[in-house]
Amino acid sequence: MHTGLKITAFAAALAATFGTAYGVGRVLDPVVADSAPAPAHDEKHTPASPAPRESADRGH
């Protein structure tokens, strides 16, 4: 069997497999029902620790 024919046969089988899985997935009901969106947070995000201050002395 030639390499090109092997690659073509593999690609066709792969496309058929995924196409079948897609079709079956579209027919069946979803496993998880749609849920309500998560509520938005009203609080402002505050860091757990304050940011380090820059030293006035730039030397080491």
Side-chain angles (χ1 to χ4, degrees), residues 7-31:
I7 292 172
T8 303
F10 177 76
L14 192 64
T17 301
F18 279 104
T20 302
Y22 180 77
V24 169
R26 296 281 297 180
V27 170
L28 297 177
D29 289 332
V31 176

Side-chain angles (χ1 to χ4, degrees), residues 38-44:
H41 295 284
D42 292 335
E43 298 176 16
K44 299 275 184 188

